[in-house]
Amino acid sequence: MITALVGNPNTGKTSLFNHLTGSYEYVGNWSGVTVEKKVGRLKEIKGDLIDLPGVYSLYPFSKDESVVIQFFLNEKFENIINIVDASQLERNLQLTVQLLEFGSPVVIGLNMIDVAERRGIHIDSNILSQKLGLPVVPITARNGRGCHELTQQLTSLPDQEDKDPNIPYGDVIEKGIAKIIELIRDEDVQLPVRWLALQVLDGNPDARSYIEQWVDKDRLKPVIDSVEGEVKATTSFPSASRLLFEKRRIWIDQIIQESMKTQEGQKKNWTERIDKIVTNRWLGIPIFLAFMYLMFTVTFDWIGTPLSDWLDAFISGPLSSWIDEGLKAVGATSFIQALVTDGIVAGVGGVLVFVPQIFVLFLFISFLEDSGYMARAALVMDRVLEKVGLNGKAFIPMVIGFGCNVPGIMAARTIEQPKERLLTVLLTPLMSCSARLSIYALFVGAFFHKHQAIIVFSLYVMGIVVALVLAKIFSKVLMKNQPSMFVIELPPYRVPHALTLWRSTWDKGKGFVRKAGTFIFGGSVAIWLLSYFGPGGIAVDLDHSFLAIIGGWFVPILAPLGFGMWQAGAALITGFLAKEVVVSTMGIIYHTPDSTALQGLLSHYFTPLSAYSFLVFVLLYIPCVATVAAIRNESGSWKWTVFSIVYALAIAYLLSLIVYYGGKLILGI
């Protein structure tokens, strides 16, 4: 048995998926967090559950929403779980109506009853079930309450093919439905033809393309045009789509009147009170920046750095000693000993010491997401983004990009307008990902020990500001302006569950740890071999190794930026593989997994000004290879992919140059 899990964004759909299947998928508080369908095995009964992206209707406004209609058009499944937000019943039932018209058995999971009751909304699930003609099970998706009853309903769902809601759409729509059905009557269409006809008249382009497999568009278009013309001529509605929406709304209102009671004069809830402050026109952005600064203070000054120092002491001390003794005990050759200690331990260990800081940062971001604040931040940022050719939805991929640019770029699928989606794909790599954080931690610990949070905060803000400026330039010069659409769900504020926070933090951070065991491991071995071999043979002096030669090619280019040394050039080149490898390369070059010792060595080659110039360059220069692949995949164009590499390199060089020489001018050097 295959069951589709469908619902509006922010209804708790993915939390329900986790409880029903026992697996974990990333949970957020904005539209479209589930970019592609996820499949899990139901725990209590035999069958698969498919978690589809959150949508308001079956009309594909974005690539994300197109996943849902394509699933209905092309995939086989037996029944549907429709999760509904009890506090937003009228809006949620618009999707429910379209699911009922499809004809597959449906069970409703009525979620957020507690939120509804706090707002003075009381729903009688039995009456709602009777009026809709399908089972309605009250649930609490966050803690799993009611999930057992919901699962049991799947085993006894009645056939609902004869339970079409029979909404009175009017003669014009019914005639149009009949004509479309007539066109495909003799074809082997495996879908409910009335539902398909309704989707076509609703303007659904994917449904229309589906029918055009059998019916020539020259035969279908006149039917659609005729219905549109009659709707405009005989009704007060501007289009068939609007008529369908209003007729469904009237039908829904009748059901709500009988199944829902609202108490007037309820106290204003906490969500509304807090929103008056955090989404305030003047206070919203300062509050967001304050949250960011607090996040970096916690990460570097309060918790993250002490934990990283402890791990650093363990890796460079006891662990390194145990590995040395073990290698000697098994009779390892000097080459193997050098490879393991100076290559693998120095390279991989030099990155792993920053895992605590990265996990603390992700914990903070997860808290902001699960509490409901992150959607408000997108709403606040919409006022700024709109002025540069984007909208608030672009902010969400950028925030995800703070963890890793690859899922951030993929999250741009939720943006409806092609221009804004492409802009977001091109600009998200400017967001400072967790891989860069390890480089920041290394350098701020060496040169800005008393001001670590401020320096890192400045880099994150710089990435955002550069992205906004470039968005304005690109939208005016490279891309034709299109009308913007910004719709985002503002969930109620919640106290995040400890288990949910841990799962979300681990989901974000595990990729960093995984890369340490694969990508960074392999890169460390390759980099060490380049440092071990040279034109003169093996075990050459480091300054005469192949790594020094390759890094030396870029010294004349990097010298004006304040770090004209082959070590910096070599580290930046390897950073194309993965930004963490910059730290691995530094550890291998200076033969130490001890970040404290490495920071001391770096102070002989960099000044605080050249170090900050280096960090600015790392922030903005070419994305890593995985991010480049994601840009190519999402943009569908090598032209835009190459452009993203070239512009990033140019901007990085220009700003590093300004920082270095501007700093020298200010400091009087």
Side-chain angles (χ1 to χ4, degrees):
M1 178 178 69
I2 299 176
T3 301
L5 178 57
V6 190
N8 284 193
N10 260 339
T11 52
K13 183 171 53 60
T14 308
S15 294
L16 177 61
F17 177 86
N18 296 335
H19 280 290
L20 294 180
T21 63
S23 63
Y24 173 71
E25 295 299 341
Y26 174 80
V27 179
N29 284 310
W30 51 79
S31 172
V33 66
T34 310
V35 173
E36 294 180 353
K37 63 181 181 183
K38 306 293 192 299
V39 182
R41 298 289 294 177
L42 289 164
K43 290 190 297 184
E44 297 188 19
I45 61 175
K46 187 176 181 181
D48 291 336
L49 182 65
I50 299 179
D51 180 20
L52 293 164
V55 293
Y56 294 102
S57 76
L58 295 182
Y59 188 97
F61 285 104
S62 68
K63 282 186 176 182
D64 186 22
E65 293 172 341
S66 183
V67 171
V68 179
I69 184 62
Q70 287 297 328
F71 176 83
F72 275 82
L73 291 173
N74 300 304
E75 303 292 335
K76 300 293 184 182
F77 60 97
E78 281 71 44
N79 43 43
I80 300 169
I81 294 177
N82 176 207
I83 185 168
V84 169
D85 180 355
S87 65
Q88 303 287 346
L89 192 58
E90 179 180 344
R91 188 192 62 222
N92 280 237
L93 289 182
Q94 280 282 345
L95 176 61
T96 304
V97 167
Q98 296 179 61
L99 301 179
L100 286 172
E101 289 171 341
F102 186 80
S104 288
V106 178
V107 58
I108 285 182
L110 190 63
N111 195 26
M112 302 187 188
I113 290 285
D114 54 338
V115 175
E117 290 179 348
R118 285 199 298 269
R119 296 180 181 179
I121 300 170
H122 301 277
I123 299 171
D124 189 320
S125 59
N126 293 324
I127 295 177
L128 183 62
S129 173
Q130 180 184 352
K131 294 299 177 183
L132 291 173
L134 51 80
V136 176
V137 181
I139 63 171
T140 304
R142 284 167 61 80
N143 58 26
R145 189 176 303 154
C147 289
H148 171 74
E149 292 78 4
L150 186 66
T151 303
Q152 294 308 307
Q153 285 289 343
L154 292 176
T155 63
S156 57
L157 277 177
D159 186 2
Q160 294 171 6
E161 289 187 5
D162 59 343
K163 292 189 178 181
D164 188 289
N166 293 319
I167 297 173
Y169 289 119
D171 291 341
V172 176
I173 295 295
E174 293 300 335
K175 288 177 183 177
I177 292 172
K179 288 179 181 178
I180 293 175
I181 291 175
E182 184 63 30
L183 288 176
I184 58 177
R185 184 178 299 279
D186 297 329
E187 306 298 338
D188 186 24
V189 179
Q190 301 296 315
L191 295 173
V193 289
R194 178 178 172 82
W195 171 85
L196 196 55
L198 277 167
Q199 289 297 312
V200 170
L201 294 178
D202 207 5
N204 192 317
D206 289 6
R208 182 168 175 173
S209 296
Y210 182 87
I211 284 187
E212 286 174 354
Q213 296 178 83
W214 296 282
V215 179
D216 190 274
K217 63 177 63 176
D218 292 334
R219 296 172 61 202
L220 182 60
K221 188 175 184 298
V223 175
I224 299 172
D225 291 343
S226 174
V227 172
E228 290 288 343
E230 286 192 54
V231 167
K232 292 177 182 177
T234 62
T235 73
S236 60
F237 299 106
S239 66
S241 177
R242 187 63 191 179
L243 185 150
L244 290 171
F245 177 85
E246 290 297 333
K247 293 292 185 181
R248 288 167 178 160
R249 186 186 61 79
I250 293 170
W251 185 82
I252 291 168
D253 284 347
Q254 292 173 345
I255 291 176
I256 289 177
Q257 287 176 11
E258 298 182 50
S259 60
M260 186 174 78
K261 294 181 180 179
T262 305
Q263 287 182 304
E264 299 296 336
Q266 285 286 309
K267 279 188 175 182
K268 189 175 290 187
N269 60 58
W270 279 106
T271 292
E272 293 173 351
R273 292 178 179 179
I274 297 173
D275 279 349
K276 276 200 165 185
I277 300 173
V278 300
T279 63
N280 181 273
R281 181 180 182 86
W282 305 110
L283 297 177
I285 291 179
I287 289 173
F288 169 68
L289 293 176
F291 273 127
M292 282 189 65
Y293 180 71
L294 175 62
M295 178 169 66
F296 295 123
T297 301
V298 171
T299 299
F300 288 96
D301 295 344
W302 296 351
I303 299 176
T305 297
L307 290 175
S308 289
D309 290 344
W310 175 84
L311 183 59
D312 184 20
F314 172 74
I315 291 176
S316 60
L319 182 61
S320 295
S321 298
W322 296 339
I323 292 173
D324 282 338
E325 292 171 5
L327 290 172
K328 291 176 182 176
V330 297
T333 64
S334 59
F335 174 80
I336 295 298
Q337 289 184 42
L339 171 61
V340 173
T341 57
D342 296 336
I344 296 172
V345 175
V348 178
V351 172
L352 285 179
V353 297
F354 301 109
V355 165
Q357 290 171 321
I358 289 167
F359 269 78
V360 170
L361 178 68
F362 284 156
L363 177 64
F364 204 100
I365 292 175
S366 297
F367 180 87
L368 294 180
E369 290 170 352
D370 203 50
S371 67
Y373 173 73
M374 202 60 80
R376 273 78 181 178
L379 179 64
V380 168
M381 291 301 295
D382 178 61
R383 299 175 189 133
V384 176
L385 294 172
E386 186 180 12
K387 295 178 181 179
V388 299
L390 295 170
N391 69 37
K393 273 194 177 180
F395 180 70
I396 300 305
M398 291 179 178
V399 171
I400 295 174
F402 288 158
C404 178
N405 291 160
V406 174
I409 289 169
M410 293 176 65
R413 297 175 185 178
T414 63
I415 300 172
E416 292 85 0
Q417 288 70 34
K419 183 208 78 169
E420 294 180 349
R421 186 163 57 244
L422 178 58
L423 273 177
T424 306
V425 166
L426 294 177
L427 298 173
T428 297
L430 298 176
M431 299 302 104
S432 197
C433 63
S434 61
R436 294 179 177 100
L437 189 65
S438 60
I439 307 172
Y440 302 162
L442 177 65
F443 276 80
V444 297
F447 298 98
F448 312 102
H449 187 71
K450 294 182 179 179
H451 308 287
Q452 295 186 55
I454 294 175
I455 295 298
V456 176
F457 176 68
S458 72
L459 292 167
Y460 275 74
V461 172
M462 183 182 295
I464 295 173
V465 171
V466 170
L468 295 179
V469 172
L470 291 178
K472 183 69 173 179
I473 296 171
F474 292 167
S475 63
K476 292 293 185 183
V477 178
L478 300 176
M479 302 174 190
K480 185 179 178 181
N481 282 322
Q482 299 174 4
S484 179
M485 178 188 298
F486 178 54
V487 179
I488 193 166
E489 188 78 18
L490 294 181
Y493 290 102
R494 308 182 182 99
V495 177
H497 290 179
L499 181 59
T500 301
L501 280 180
W502 162 245
R503 284 174 165 176
S504 183
T505 302
W506 172 247
D507 188 64
K508 293 180 178 74
K510 67 182 179 183
F512 185 89
V513 177
R514 188 186 299 117
K515 278 198 290 185
T518 54
F519 223 120
I520 298 172
F521 178 89
S524 297
V525 171
I527 293 163
W528 182 83
L529 290 173
L530 287 173
S531 69
Y532 192 75
F533 291 92
I538 62 173
V540 298
D541 180 72
L542 191 60
D543 288 332
H544 299 93
S545 66
F546 286 124
L547 186 63
I549 293 171
I550 295 171
W553 295 341
F554 298 90
V555 168
I557 301 172
L558 299 176
L561 307 182
F563 43 90
M565 60 198 81
W566 72 260
Q567 294 91 337
L572 290 170
I573 294 168
T574 58
F576 176 63
L577 299 174
K579 291 297 183 283
E580 302 97 328
V581 181
V582 170
V583 175
S584 299
T585 305
M586 293 287 188
I588 291 168
I589 289 173
Y590 297 110
H591 301 296
T592 177
D594 185 340
S595 67
T596 302
L598 180 56
Q599 287 168 345
L601 290 169
L602 288 176
S603 64
H604 297 298
Y605 296 90
F606 290 84
T607 65
L609 180 57
S610 66
Y612 190 71
S613 175
F614 182 79
L615 293 180
V616 170
F617 194 83
V618 166
L619 164 70
L620 301 170
Y621 90 118
I622 56 176
C624 69
V625 65
T627 301
V628 170
I631 294 172
R632 170 64 184 86
N633 185 53
E634 296 303 312
S635 68
S637 167
W638 276 113
K639 178 187 74 172
W640 288 118
T641 305
V642 172
F643 174 77
S644 70
I645 295 173
V646 173
Y647 95 73
L649 197 55
I651 292 295
Y653 196 89
L654 177 62
L655 285 185
S656 291
L657 198 66
I658 292 172
V659 165
Y660 186 63
Y661 282 97
K664 290 183 72 174
L665 185 63
I666 293 171
L667 297 173
I669 301 176

